[in-house]
Amino acid sequence: MLKKFIALALLPVTAWAWQPTKPVTVIFPNGPGAGNEISFRIVASIVERQTGVKFNSEHRPGADGNIAINHLVTTPRDGHTIAVPACQSNWVTPEVWYPQIAKYNPMDLEPVANIARSPLAFWATPKSTINTPDELIAAIRRKERAITVAIGGGGHKLAVEYLVDKLRVPGGDRVETVMYKGPAQALLDVMGGHVEFGVTPVAVGYPHVLAGKLKLIGIADTRPLPGLETAPLMSRVVPGLSIHGCWNLVLPPGTPQDIQKWYAEQFVPAIRSAEAAEKFRENMMYTTSEEHSPQGVRAAMMQLQRTWQPIARRIRPE
Protein backbone atom coordinates (compact mmCIF):
# COMPACT_ATOMS: atom_id res chain seq x y z
CA MET A 1 0.00 0.00 0.00
CA LEU A 2 2.83 2.39 0.88
CA LYS A 3 4.54 1.73 -2.46
CA LYS A 4 1.27 2.43 -4.30
CA PHE A 5 0.83 5.72 -2.41
CA ILE A 6 4.41 6.78 -3.24
CA ALA A 7 3.91 5.88 -6.90
CA LEU A 8 0.75 7.98 -7.09
CA ALA A 9 2.47 10.89 -5.36
CA LEU A 10 5.24 10.83 -7.93
CA LEU A 11 2.88 11.14 -10.91
CA PRO A 12 3.37 14.38 -12.90
CA VAL A 13 1.15 17.21 -11.74
CA THR A 14 -0.21 17.57 -15.30
CA ALA A 15 -1.89 14.17 -14.94
CA TRP A 16 -4.29 15.81 -12.51
CA ALA A 17 -4.72 19.10 -14.45
CA TRP A 18 -8.08 20.15 -15.86
CA GLN A 19 -8.82 19.59 -19.51
CA PRO A 20 -12.03 19.53 -21.56
CA THR A 21 -13.93 16.26 -21.40
CA LYS A 22 -16.22 17.04 -24.35
CA PRO A 23 -16.30 19.39 -27.35
CA VAL A 24 -16.05 23.08 -26.44
CA THR A 25 -18.75 25.48 -27.64
CA VAL A 26 -17.27 28.68 -29.09
CA ILE A 27 -19.69 31.62 -29.13
CA PHE A 28 -19.18 34.14 -31.94
CA PRO A 29 -21.13 37.40 -31.52
CA ASN A 30 -21.82 37.85 -35.23
CA GLY A 31 -22.59 35.93 -38.39
CA PRO A 32 -20.17 33.45 -40.00
CA GLY A 33 -17.05 34.67 -41.79
CA ALA A 34 -16.03 37.48 -39.43
CA GLY A 35 -12.48 38.14 -38.27
CA ASN A 36 -13.03 36.60 -34.85
CA GLU A 37 -13.97 33.26 -36.41
CA ILE A 38 -11.18 33.39 -39.00
CA SER A 39 -8.51 34.16 -36.39
CA PHE A 40 -9.83 31.64 -33.87
CA ARG A 41 -9.92 28.82 -36.42
CA ILE A 42 -6.29 29.45 -37.29
CA VAL A 43 -5.13 28.76 -33.73
CA ALA A 44 -7.86 26.27 -32.81
CA SER A 45 -6.72 23.95 -35.59
CA ILE A 46 -3.32 23.78 -33.88
CA VAL A 47 -4.83 23.16 -30.45
CA GLU A 48 -7.18 20.51 -31.81
CA ARG A 49 -4.30 18.67 -33.42
CA GLN A 50 -2.19 18.76 -30.27
CA THR A 51 -4.88 17.98 -27.68
CA GLY A 52 -7.67 16.20 -29.53
CA VAL A 53 -10.19 18.73 -28.16
CA LYS A 54 -12.88 19.81 -30.64
CA PHE A 55 -14.29 23.34 -30.87
CA ASN A 56 -17.81 23.82 -32.21
CA SER A 57 -19.03 27.20 -33.49
CA GLU A 58 -22.20 28.84 -32.20
CA HIS A 59 -23.16 32.14 -33.85
CA ARG A 60 -25.33 34.51 -31.79
CA PRO A 61 -25.52 37.85 -33.65
CA GLY A 62 -27.56 40.75 -32.34
CA ALA A 63 -27.17 44.15 -30.64
CA ASP A 64 -23.58 44.41 -31.88
CA GLY A 65 -22.36 41.35 -29.98
CA ASN A 66 -24.19 41.95 -26.71
CA ILE A 67 -26.72 39.15 -27.18
CA ALA A 68 -23.87 36.65 -27.39
CA ILE A 69 -21.96 37.88 -24.34
CA ASN A 70 -25.19 38.16 -22.33
CA HIS A 71 -25.53 34.44 -23.00
CA LEU A 72 -21.89 33.63 -22.24
CA VAL A 73 -22.09 35.05 -18.72
CA THR A 74 -25.01 32.72 -17.92
CA THR A 75 -23.20 29.53 -18.97
CA PRO A 76 -21.51 27.12 -16.52
CA ARG A 77 -17.95 28.06 -15.54
CA ASP A 78 -16.77 24.58 -16.50
CA GLY A 79 -14.50 25.50 -19.43
CA HIS A 80 -16.78 24.01 -22.07
CA THR A 81 -18.16 27.34 -23.29
CA ILE A 82 -15.90 30.16 -24.45
CA ALA A 83 -16.34 33.22 -26.67
CA VAL A 84 -14.36 35.36 -29.10
CA PRO A 85 -15.85 38.88 -28.90
CA ALA A 86 -14.63 41.91 -30.82
CA CYS A 87 -12.72 44.53 -28.84
CA GLN A 88 -14.67 47.63 -29.86
CA SER A 89 -18.10 46.01 -29.84
CA ASN A 90 -17.82 44.32 -26.47
CA TRP A 91 -15.45 46.53 -24.46
CA VAL A 92 -15.90 50.05 -25.82
CA THR A 93 -19.52 50.62 -26.83
CA PRO A 94 -21.83 48.42 -24.65
CA GLU A 95 -22.11 50.77 -21.67
CA VAL A 96 -22.46 53.78 -24.01
CA TRP A 97 -24.81 52.49 -26.69
CA TYR A 98 -26.53 49.49 -25.11
CA PRO A 99 -26.81 50.07 -21.35
CA GLN A 100 -30.32 48.57 -21.30
CA ILE A 101 -29.27 45.49 -23.28
CA ALA A 102 -25.77 44.58 -22.09
CA LYS A 103 -26.13 42.52 -18.89
CA TYR A 104 -22.40 42.20 -18.20
CA ASN A 105 -19.33 44.22 -17.31
CA PRO A 106 -16.67 43.47 -19.95
CA MET A 107 -13.93 43.84 -17.34
CA ASP A 108 -15.48 40.93 -15.41
CA LEU A 109 -14.87 38.53 -18.31
CA GLU A 110 -11.87 36.23 -17.93
CA PRO A 111 -9.63 36.97 -20.94
CA VAL A 112 -7.07 34.42 -22.05
CA ALA A 113 -5.35 36.43 -24.78
CA ASN A 114 -5.90 38.62 -27.78
CA ILE A 115 -5.78 36.32 -30.79
CA ALA A 116 -5.08 38.79 -33.59
CA ARG A 117 -5.77 42.21 -35.08
CA SER A 118 -6.55 43.51 -38.53
CA PRO A 119 -6.93 47.20 -39.44
CA LEU A 120 -10.29 48.37 -40.63
CA ALA A 121 -10.62 49.36 -44.27
CA PHE A 122 -13.03 51.41 -46.37
CA TRP A 123 -14.39 49.50 -49.36
CA ALA A 124 -16.54 50.31 -52.39
CA THR A 125 -18.59 48.31 -54.82
CA PRO A 126 -16.59 47.78 -58.06
CA LYS A 127 -19.09 49.97 -59.96
CA SER A 128 -18.44 52.98 -57.73
CA THR A 129 -16.61 55.95 -59.24
CA ILE A 130 -14.80 56.47 -55.91
CA ASN A 131 -11.32 54.94 -55.81
CA THR A 132 -9.26 56.79 -53.17
CA PRO A 133 -9.65 58.40 -49.71
CA ASP A 134 -9.42 61.86 -51.32
CA GLU A 135 -12.23 61.05 -53.72
CA LEU A 136 -14.39 59.76 -50.88
CA ILE A 137 -13.89 62.96 -48.88
CA ALA A 138 -14.60 65.05 -51.98
CA ALA A 139 -17.85 63.15 -52.61
CA ILE A 140 -18.95 63.81 -49.02
CA ARG A 141 -18.12 67.52 -49.33
CA ARG A 142 -20.07 67.93 -52.56
CA LYS A 143 -23.29 66.82 -50.82
CA GLU A 144 -24.68 65.71 -54.16
CA ARG A 145 -26.07 62.48 -52.69
CA ALA A 146 -26.27 60.50 -49.50
CA ILE A 147 -23.25 58.32 -48.73
CA THR A 148 -24.32 54.97 -47.32
CA VAL A 149 -21.80 52.71 -45.57
CA ALA A 150 -22.45 49.06 -44.67
CA ILE A 151 -20.88 48.08 -41.33
CA GLY A 152 -20.69 44.89 -39.29
CA GLY A 153 -19.76 46.13 -35.83
CA GLY A 154 -19.45 49.04 -33.44
CA GLY A 155 -15.82 49.71 -34.32
CA HIS A 156 -16.77 50.10 -37.96
CA LYS A 157 -19.31 52.78 -37.08
CA LEU A 158 -16.73 54.55 -34.93
CA ALA A 159 -14.37 54.69 -37.93
CA VAL A 160 -17.01 56.35 -40.11
CA GLU A 161 -18.06 58.81 -37.41
CA TYR A 162 -14.43 59.67 -36.65
CA LEU A 163 -13.90 60.52 -40.32
CA VAL A 164 -16.91 62.85 -40.37
CA ASP A 165 -16.17 64.42 -36.97
CA LYS A 166 -12.44 64.95 -37.45
CA LEU A 167 -12.74 66.71 -40.78
CA ARG A 168 -15.83 68.71 -39.84
CA VAL A 169 -17.07 67.73 -43.29
CA PRO A 170 -19.98 69.98 -44.32
CA GLY A 171 -21.78 67.06 -45.94
CA GLY A 172 -21.23 64.76 -42.99
CA ASP A 173 -24.91 64.79 -42.09
CA ARG A 174 -25.55 62.90 -45.32
CA VAL A 175 -23.25 60.00 -44.37
CA GLU A 176 -25.36 57.11 -43.12
CA THR A 177 -24.31 53.72 -41.72
CA VAL A 178 -26.28 50.49 -41.94
CA MET A 179 -25.53 47.79 -39.36
CA TYR A 180 -25.46 44.13 -40.44
CA LYS A 181 -25.13 40.92 -38.40
CA GLY A 182 -21.41 40.80 -39.17
CA PRO A 183 -18.77 42.17 -41.54
CA ALA A 184 -19.11 39.33 -44.04
CA GLN A 185 -22.85 40.01 -44.31
CA ALA A 186 -22.23 43.76 -44.72
CA LEU A 187 -19.83 43.19 -47.60
CA LEU A 188 -22.28 40.94 -49.43
CA ASP A 189 -24.49 43.98 -50.05
CA VAL A 190 -21.49 46.10 -51.07
CA MET A 191 -20.32 43.48 -53.55
CA GLY A 192 -23.86 43.17 -54.85
CA GLY A 193 -24.06 46.91 -55.44
CA HIS A 194 -26.95 47.40 -52.97
CA VAL A 195 -24.77 49.66 -50.78
CA GLU A 196 -21.93 51.67 -52.31
CA PHE A 197 -19.45 51.61 -49.40
CA GLY A 198 -18.47 49.40 -46.49
CA VAL A 199 -16.13 49.36 -43.51
CA THR A 200 -14.79 46.06 -42.13
CA PRO A 201 -11.43 44.58 -41.13
CA VAL A 202 -8.99 44.11 -44.00
CA ALA A 203 -8.95 40.40 -43.17
CA VAL A 204 -12.62 40.04 -44.12
CA GLY A 205 -12.66 42.16 -47.26
CA TYR A 206 -9.35 41.74 -49.04
CA PRO A 207 -9.99 38.21 -50.43
CA HIS A 208 -12.93 39.75 -52.32
CA VAL A 209 -10.62 42.42 -53.75
CA LEU A 210 -8.41 39.67 -55.14
CA ALA A 211 -11.50 38.08 -56.69
CA GLY A 212 -12.46 41.39 -58.34
CA LYS A 213 -15.70 41.66 -56.34
CA LEU A 214 -14.72 44.57 -54.09
CA LYS A 215 -12.62 47.73 -54.31
CA LEU A 216 -10.25 48.90 -51.55
CA ILE A 217 -10.52 52.65 -50.89
CA GLY A 218 -8.12 52.95 -47.96
CA ILE A 219 -6.86 51.31 -44.75
CA ALA A 220 -7.68 52.93 -41.39
CA ASP A 221 -4.18 52.87 -39.98
CA THR A 222 -1.16 55.14 -39.59
CA ARG A 223 1.35 52.67 -41.00
CA PRO A 224 1.39 50.38 -44.05
CA LEU A 225 0.10 46.86 -43.57
CA PRO A 226 2.63 44.14 -44.47
CA GLY A 227 1.57 42.71 -47.80
CA LEU A 228 -0.36 45.88 -48.69
CA GLU A 229 2.43 48.44 -48.40
CA THR A 230 1.15 50.50 -51.34
CA ALA A 231 -2.49 50.62 -50.21
CA PRO A 232 -3.75 54.15 -49.39
CA LEU A 233 -3.93 55.08 -45.69
CA MET A 234 -7.05 56.87 -44.49
CA SER A 235 -4.93 58.70 -41.89
CA ARG A 236 -3.26 60.64 -44.70
CA VAL A 237 -6.48 62.58 -45.26
CA VAL A 238 -8.07 61.99 -41.84
CA PRO A 239 -5.29 62.45 -39.26
CA GLY A 240 -5.40 59.88 -36.47
CA LEU A 241 -7.89 57.55 -38.17
CA SER A 242 -6.39 54.30 -36.93
CA ILE A 243 -8.78 51.63 -35.73
CA HIS A 244 -8.56 47.85 -35.83
CA GLY A 245 -10.68 44.79 -35.66
CA CYS A 246 -9.33 42.82 -32.73
CA TRP A 247 -10.54 39.60 -31.15
CA ASN A 248 -10.06 38.28 -27.62
CA LEU A 249 -10.51 34.72 -26.38
CA VAL A 250 -12.55 34.92 -23.15
CA LEU A 251 -14.14 32.68 -20.51
CA PRO A 252 -17.19 33.46 -18.34
CA PRO A 253 -16.60 35.55 -15.21
CA GLY A 254 -15.44 33.48 -12.25
CA THR A 255 -14.04 30.60 -14.29
CA PRO A 256 -11.67 28.60 -12.03
CA GLN A 257 -7.95 29.26 -12.33
CA ASP A 258 -7.07 25.72 -13.44
CA ILE A 259 -9.39 26.10 -16.44
CA GLN A 260 -7.93 29.50 -17.30
CA LYS A 261 -4.46 27.97 -17.02
CA TRP A 262 -5.29 25.19 -19.51
CA TYR A 263 -6.51 27.68 -22.10
CA ALA A 264 -3.48 29.91 -21.64
CA GLU A 265 -1.07 26.98 -21.91
CA GLN A 266 -2.71 25.69 -25.09
CA PHE A 267 -3.69 28.86 -26.95
CA VAL A 268 -0.89 31.34 -26.27
CA PRO A 269 1.82 29.07 -27.77
CA ALA A 270 -0.50 28.37 -30.71
CA ILE A 271 -1.05 32.11 -31.28
CA ARG A 272 2.73 32.69 -31.16
CA SER A 273 3.61 29.72 -33.38
CA ALA A 274 5.25 30.05 -36.78
CA GLU A 275 2.36 28.13 -38.32
CA ALA A 276 -0.19 30.64 -37.03
CA ALA A 277 2.03 33.61 -37.95
CA GLU A 278 2.10 32.50 -41.58
CA LYS A 279 -1.67 32.11 -41.70
CA PHE A 280 -2.21 35.43 -39.96
CA ARG A 281 -0.06 37.13 -42.62
CA GLU A 282 -2.05 35.43 -45.37
CA ASN A 283 -5.23 36.81 -43.81
CA MET A 284 -3.86 40.35 -43.26
CA MET A 285 -3.72 39.92 -39.47
CA TYR A 286 -1.01 40.34 -36.87
CA THR A 287 -0.53 39.59 -33.17
CA THR A 288 0.41 41.77 -30.20
CA SER A 289 2.45 39.79 -27.68
CA GLU A 290 1.79 42.26 -24.86
CA GLU A 291 -1.86 41.17 -25.00
CA HIS A 292 -1.16 37.47 -24.52
CA SER A 293 -2.14 37.54 -20.85
CA PRO A 294 -5.26 38.53 -18.91
CA GLN A 295 -3.50 41.62 -17.57
CA GLY A 296 -2.36 42.61 -21.05
CA VAL A 297 -5.83 42.25 -22.54
CA ARG A 298 -7.46 44.29 -19.77
CA ALA A 299 -4.86 47.05 -20.07
CA ALA A 300 -5.37 47.24 -23.83
CA MET A 301 -9.16 47.31 -23.49
CA MET A 302 -8.96 50.12 -20.91
CA GLN A 303 -6.86 52.13 -23.37
CA LEU A 304 -9.42 51.52 -26.12
CA GLN A 305 -12.15 52.76 -23.80
CA ARG A 306 -10.23 55.94 -23.03
CA THR A 307 -9.62 56.59 -26.72
CA TRP A 308 -12.98 55.72 -28.27
CA GLN A 309 -15.71 56.03 -25.65
CA PRO A 310 -15.68 59.87 -25.82
CA ILE A 311 -16.39 59.54 -29.55
CA ALA A 312 -19.00 56.83 -29.00
CA ARG A 313 -20.89 59.12 -26.60
CA ARG A 314 -21.45 61.60 -29.43
CA ILE A 315 -22.98 58.99 -31.70
CA ARG A 316 -26.42 57.44 -31.83
CA PRO A 317 -26.15 53.62 -32.13
CA GLU A 318 -27.73 51.71 -35.02
Side-chain angles (χ1 to χ4, degrees), residues 63-114:
D64 195 22
N66 289 291
I67 300 300
I69 306 305
N70 280 349
H71 174 69
L72 173 73
V73 300
T74 68
T75 61
R77 279 67 171 156
D78 62 2
H80 291 99
T81 305
I82 62 177
V84 189
C87 299
Q88 302 282 358
S89 294
N90 294 109
W91 272 269
V92 174
T93 60
E95 68 179 87
V96 180
W97 292 350
Y98 302 99
Q100 303 304 316
I101 296 176
K103 306 301 181 184
Y104 64 95
N105 180 342
M107 290 303 174
D108 289 340
L109 299 173
E110 304 291 359
V112 176
N114 177 260

Side-chain angles (χ1 to χ4, degrees), residues 242-260:
S242 178
I243 185 167
H244 298 70
C246 105
W247 309 285
N248 297 325
L249 174 60
V250 303
L251 296 156
T255 297
Q257 287 294 322
D258 57 340
I259 297 176
Q260 295 186 47

